[in-house]
Amino acid sequence: MLPVLLALAAPPALAHYPHDPALWVAVSPGPDPAWVVTSLWRNEAWMTARTANDRDVEVHYVMDGSRMTTSAELLAAERLVLGTEGLGLWTSEDAGRSWAVHPDIPPDADVDQVVAAPTVATDGVALACGTASVWRTADAGRSWARVLVRPGVEVIDVDVAPPSAWATLPRACAVEEAGAVWCSDDAGATWAEAGSVADRPWKVSVDEKARIWVGGEAGLWRSDDGGRTWSGAGFGGQDVTTVEALGGGVVLAATLLHAAWRTEDGGASWTLGSDDLEAPDTGQGGPRAGEHYLEFRASASGAVYLASWEGIARSDDGGRSWIRIHTETHEVTRGVALTRDGAGGLLLVVGAYGSGVVLGPALEPVAWPASTAVDLAYLRGVAVSPDWGAEGALVFTGRGDAFLTTDGAATWVQADPARVGGAVERAAVSPGWPEDRSIVLTAQVGPGADVVVSRDGGATWTHGTLDAACTGYGSAVALSPGWVDDGRAWMPCLVDGTVFETRDHGATWMALDVLGSGTTAVAGAPGGSVVWAGAESGLWRYTPEQGTFAPAGFDGRRVTALALAPGFPDDPTMFVVAAEGSWWRSDDAGRTWRELPAPDDQLPLAVALSPDYAADGVVAVSGYGGAWVSADRGATWRQAHVLERHEESMPTWILRGSWERWEGEGLSGGRGTRSSTAGDTARFEARGVRVDLLSTPGGDGVLSVSLDGGDPVEVPLAGDPVDQSIVWTSGRLDDAWHALDLVVVEGTVRLDAAQVWRQLPGGGDTGPDDTAPDTPGAPG
């Protein structure tokens, strides 16, 4: 059986700027960098993306979205140090795969910048700055000492002289948030105040002539006398978000809207380098002040890298020209469910962020999609009835909407927002469907939550009544396995962790307890005899006898999802997935836990068990690494979902000519790109086994398409003015990098997106046998 991508007409998705920002870039020391590492933001989480060749990217989960990464530096071949917002300095000995908090810097400090001396490979010198401090290491990050103390002040940036001057001028300068500049002439060992710039600064840099450059909100500033006096060096009245002296008289700068500017005469004249960078799109909610071009980083090999909110660019000629390099796009599966297919099989349901809802066989290697029609809702959750083959019900939520089918996808209905009452977040379907046709939705209304319930398959809706305020929306909803008889369900609040329970099929909801931390998962036993909640602070357990939630393990870990066996408590199996990528199973209702072999180290977001779990042992997990299925209770795993969407506005598109943005119905992200100029070109590169090109509504032109340098094919785009459509497909390809070259032939060409089937999921084990011993009690 082939997977089916379910499509329906829907309003355009909300804008989602930025796509894949790179806040910083780090390069291995030495003349031949082993790694380039950068950051990615994926809605709930910060990731690191590392590559040895600027193309094939490894992505690894770092932290959830409650804090952010701020800076990083590679101090040895694979020793990466990471600055964070309020979480101190983190160290990785494997170039970003795993992390530990460094004990020499306060664990609650902001670390705003880390920079290595040009000689770090031999003397181990590097500097970091942040909360009230500048820190220094002389052993490549093994230990750190505070060398400048500024109580009550944030030191926001630090820089060192270029490699050409460092041997004779081991100068470093740092700038505070109010403009005060401090400098050191002994490689950061001792510091002295060097004046102040009359601006709110972003970045500081030092050149080989001992000049100090500061980029700020009102322009670029230069001091030729160690900071005593300052003069404007261009860009008056503009934000200069980053500046870097490369040596040899070359200085690079970026403004809020343009990169990269280059001067060789001390700032008297500036030239804007040519680039393939996408022009910032203020219509997508940005760029905001200082958030577009963020950091230059020069490597010993001569390449210069630029981190921006649109990915990474590299220059091989000192900033005269730039090319886009590695970026990583969405393959996020936020929701997952398992259901029977009516023919004795088991179906996997995946809600993918950017590529809609996918149904496919859970236990067979999936070779090819039956359809590539895609709903463009950016999904946050899916819920399905246990038996899809018997008048199946499926609900998915995203963009604040809920869409549902109760006839096996023959027809779809959008839940009326006026009746639902707010931005829909999560959904649950009755375990007794179709005899009991209940659907429960959580919605965000202002700063709080609403719950709406339908007992007739979505024909009518009623609002539940909460007996207490919910801080943040209802971040999850779980129905009791005995919902039909006991009428119980549970909903946690995202921010304060209040957990509500209903005992009357959703009519009224009472607060059981307040966990005091963000809560995103909940599950309960029939009759409410025990309830579990997953929060940023770990796993919590409630019983009516104790009358409150008590810690149940995973202390200090963010529990992103949990699930109970459908036959609970006769089958006392539980699954927990935690934010650091660990996956756990308990066979005794949480008394002991067994860590499972995780096939992926990225952030997991959802877990689901088969309706017949006691017999078939099938479990599915989804998250930032895609969707995975196990048929042996989590001992081994198979990848199951492979569709990835590359929007035209992502840095993987290189547009040349007079392309312009436009808004319209049915577009990916609500926006498309169009051109009416013959000869305009677009280039797209991706790795995968199939590429589909999607045109936006209303085009009447002709587009020439060439794959991997092959003969071009002319594609007419006239057609349906309402819905997007696939206008060209590659067919099956080798699993390799492929280039798509597009040329406007005539008329108006409108582009939306390319969707890429990244890889064929294969069978086979992804982990060892399930022989790990049980851990008494829940892991802390």
Side-chain angles (χ1 to χ4, degrees), residues 314-388:
R314 188 190 74 233
S315 174
D316 296 316
D317 56 11
R320 293 182 179 88
S321 63
W322 297 82
I323 58 173
R324 299 184 223 189
I325 59 168
H326 65 84
T327 55
E328 184 70 10
T329 52
H330 292 297
E331 52 181 324
V332 182
T333 53
R334 293 178 182 271
V336 67
L338 290 160
T339 180
R340 306 180 189 95
D341 67 5
L346 192 63
L347 285 176
L348 175 71
V349 183
V350 173
Y353 194 78
S355 57
V357 179
V358 180
L359 273 78
L363 300 178
E364 302 171 20
V366 179
W368 204 247
S371 168
T372 50
V374 200
D375 165 61
L376 295 181
Y378 280 71
L379 303 183
R380 294 192 176 276
V382 296
V384 67
S385 58
D387 197 340
W388 176 258

Side-chain angles (χ1 to χ4, degrees), residues 25 150 158 160 176 183 245 247 277 317 319-320 348 427 494 501 596 605 625 629 635 663 692 736:
V25 58
R150 297 291 294 148
V158 63
V160 298
E176 299 175 2
C183 290
L277 296 171
D317 56 11
R320 293 182 179 88
L348 175 71
L494 177 68
E501 180 184 67
L596 303 173
L605 297 174
V629 176
E663 297 182 2
D692 301 323

Side-chain angles (χ1 to χ4, degrees), residues 467-482:
D467 70 352
C470 171
T471 305
Y473 58 81
S475 53
V477 60
L479 306 189
S480 162

